[in-house]
Each structure stands twice: as structure tokens, then as C-alpha cells.
Amino acid sequence: MANGLPNPPCAVLTADAARSLVDSVDAFLFDCDGVIWKGDKLIEGVPETMELLRKMGKKLVFVTNNSRKSRRQYSKKFRSLGLEVTEEEIFTSSFAAAMFLKLNNFSPEKKVYVVGEDGILEELKLAGFECFGGPEDGKKNIKLEADFYFEHDKSVGAVIVGLDQYFNYYKMQYARICISENPGCLFIATNRDPTGHMTSAQEWPGAGTMVAAVSCSVQKEPIVVGKPSGFLMDFLLKSFNLETSRMCMVGDRLDTDILFGQNTGCKTLLVLSGCTSLPELQDASNNIHPDVYTNSVYDLVGLLQK
């Protein structure tokens, strides 16, 4: 870092850079938490930004690591905030988890145990898989009494761990015992985000904290299907006739959004409206640098109209 400025090639978004960026891409991939909204509160200028980019003929796709909702549920959330977004334009880590099993020919005779919420359960059911766990198991307790033996379903062939506000000791033990004792049981993580803007007021522990707990208990690393894994991009490319070099990933996290874009060959735009602050971006220890950064997606509107 020199003169207090970010290390190259990261640069602040200017009017010329904004025009160059928009001219060079056909599609914008937007993260949601911290970019489009915080909790259930829309970030200022998002509708105007989406409208302008669509008028310019750009494809908009929404790629979120938040597994709490399914694509159907996210489409409903977009509509509740006054944004028209179809299910086909939404790619979630819950959907990615279900598609990972489908593309890897997961046996229909096997079940899936879910440490997570309704989004994962719904996507699994839509993909034709039998699953259980989720919020219901958040109500279950364990008493560590003498000779207590924890029963589990030996037909579980995969455990999926995602963001779970109902995470408890029961779920951790169920996941642990399935992964450890059921032969060939897959350990899948929707993502490893340490925190996220689950509400508009502050950040909260992310799915990565649940994943870390289960990972520690089984002494095994999971298969990660959300950002920055390339699996989500592979599936996205099968859905749209686009080249990654003609896409721009817009996100608020360096280690997921920006790294995802870089790993898959996209251009990258970091917005400072979510998890990453300017001091964090400029810190000498940071080695993930977006092509450009700006305060929020709304800056695109002002810069493009200059």
C-alpha cells in the first residue's frame, strides 16, 4: 500500500470506469445480503440501478450464499420489496446443494439430513430427495445422562449444513454421527461465510460457524457448493448462454463474492454497503483485490449519467 491507497489493481469506480465496465459485460451477477438489502430493508438506489442496467440490455442474475430461503421464497422477497425478479434469475446455495446431489447421481434410496432452514428443505424436495431435520430439530434437546445412546437414521447418505438460527447440540450430534458412521455419507456445506447481514441493524454469525462446528466434530472438511466454489458458476453457465469474461460479479465480501468472480474469470466490483469496509480493503494483509470498488450499487446510476 502506498500513500494510503489500495494496492493495485484495485481502483475506485469513476465515471469512465463505470462506462467501460458496463460496455465490457453482458451480465451483472449480484450478491444479495449487503448489496441489494440488509435483512428485510432494501439498500437505497437498488431499484433505479436495476432499471437502468436492464434498459441498457444487461442480464441481471442474483447469486446468494444465504441458504435460508429457496429460489421461490427469494422471488417472493424481491416482490415484497418492489423488485420484479424471477426464480430463474436467482441462484442460491440451497439450490446449489440440491443440484450438486442431482448432478452427482445421489441415490434416491438415501436420505438427506439438513442442518439449516426451510430453503434447503424446499430445494431438496423439489429435486426429488427425501430429507429431514431443519427447523423442526431445533426444538429437540439432549440430556447427557449415563449410558445414553443417540439413535440415528442409517439410510442418511448426505448431510447438508447451512445457515441455521435453530442450530443446537442435537443437530450437531445428528450430523456428526451420520457423517462418521454411515458409509460414504457426504458432508456438504452451502458456504463458509463467517458473518452476514441477517438484519438491517448488524451482522450475525454466518453459515461458516455452523459448518466449522460440524467439521471440527468429524475432523473432516466439507464439499462447499456456494461462493467462492466454481460449482455455482458451472450451473449458472448451463442456464444462460454467457461467457464469464462478459460478466461482472458485484458483492460486498472479498473472500466469497470477489474471490468467486476472480476464480471464475468475471470482472469484479466490490461495494462497501455490506460486510467489507474501506480500511479492510486497504489493509496491507488483504490479498483479494476487486477490479474496482464503490460505496453502493446506486453509484453506478450517478456515474453513468455524467
Side-chain angles (χ1 to χ4, degrees):
M1 186 167 68
N3 299 321
L5 297 175
N7 294 321
C10 179
V12 66
L13 188 69
T14 62
D16 287 342
R19 282 189 288 270
S20 176
L21 176 64
V22 171
D23 289 344
S24 69
V25 300
D26 302 314
F28 283 86
L29 312 182
F30 289 97
D31 177 43
C32 294
D33 295 313
V35 177
I36 302 298
W37 54 60
K38 286 184 178 180
D40 292 324
K41 185 177 180 182
L42 196 64
I43 291 175
E44 183 184 2
V46 166
E48 295 86 343
T49 306
M50 288 173 55
E51 181 182 9
L52 177 61
L53 292 175
R54 280 179 170 151
K55 281 183 178 178
M56 298 176 79
K58 306 304 175 183
K59 179 72 180 174
L60 306 186
V61 183
F62 301 87
V63 186
T64 176
N65 267 354
N66 193 328
S67 62
R68 292 183 62 208
K69 290 178 168 52
S70 64
R71 292 186 301 162
R72 179 191 63 82
Q73 291 168 324
Y74 268 115
S75 181
K76 185 177 178 180
K77 177 172 181 175
F78 274 106
R79 287 196 301 273
S80 73
L81 293 172
L83 304 173
E84 283 303 317
V85 177
T86 66
E87 289 183 36
E88 291 71 28
E89 294 172 311
I90 302 168
F91 287 79
T92 68
S93 61
S94 53
F95 175 67
M99 290 304 101
F100 179 87
L101 293 179
K102 200 168 188 108
L103 292 175
N104 284 278
N105 300 311
F106 184 73
S107 173
E109 297 177 0
K110 295 286 188 180
K111 298 176 186 176
V112 184
Y113 183 69
V114 174
V115 178
E117 300 190 25
D118 289 333
I120 302 174
L121 293 168
E122 182 169 317
E123 293 293 358
L124 287 170
K125 289 172 184 175
L126 287 171
F129 298 116
E130 186 176 352
C131 56
F132 66 103
E136 275 302 306
D137 280 4
K139 303 171 185 176
K140 297 177 181 178
N141 299 309
I142 289 176
K143 288 186 179 180
L144 297 177
E145 298 172 339
D147 300 322
F148 174 69
Y149 183 81
F150 190 92
E151 297 284 353
H152 78 288
D153 191 330
K154 293 177 175 58
S155 67
V156 170
V159 172
I160 298 176
V161 182
L163 183 61
D164 189 350
Q165 64 180 310
Y166 310 105
F167 188 63
N168 60 13
Y169 204 54
Y170 178 94
K171 290 186 178 186
M172 186 157 54
Q173 170 66 348
Y174 210 108
R176 187 203 69 78
I177 207 164
C178 287
I179 296 166
S180 300
E181 297 188 10
N182 290 6
C185 184
L186 299 172
F187 174 23
I188 299 169
T190 59
N191 66 91
R192 302 188 88 157
D193 293 16
T195 59
H197 277 285
M198 312 313 167
T199 69
S200 60
Q202 61 190 159
E203 288 185 81
W204 295 78
T209 59
M210 292 88 198
V211 172
V214 175
S215 180
C216 180
S217 73
V218 297
Q219 291 295 285
K220 183 178 180 179
E221 291 299 307
I223 300 164
V224 181
V225 294
K227 298 174 291 186
S229 166
F231 174 77
L232 202 56
M233 179 61 79
D234 292 340
F235 200 83
L236 192 152
L237 292 175
K238 290 177 183 176
S239 303
F240 301 106
N241 185 26
L242 297 167
E243 296 180 10
T244 56
S245 62
R246 299 284 301 175
M247 296 179 183
C248 177
M249 180 67 215
V250 184
D252 69 318
R253 291 198 74 98
L254 292 166
D255 57 353
T256 54
D257 303 322
I258 302 307
L259 191 58
F260 172 73
Q262 291 176 345
N263 286 346
T264 55
C266 299
K267 294 175 177 62
T268 54
L269 169 60
L270 176 76
V271 291
L272 303 176
S273 52
C275 290
T276 305
S277 66
L278 186 57
E280 289 170 332
L281 173 63
Q282 295 177 338
D283 193 286
S285 65
N286 170 42
N287 59 5
I288 303 173
H289 302 286
D291 294 319
V292 284
Y293 72 92
T294 193
N295 288 321
S296 75
V297 294
Y298 194 27
D299 292 341
L300 279 168
V301 175
L303 292 171
L304 290 171
Q305 292 176 343
K306 281 189 177 180

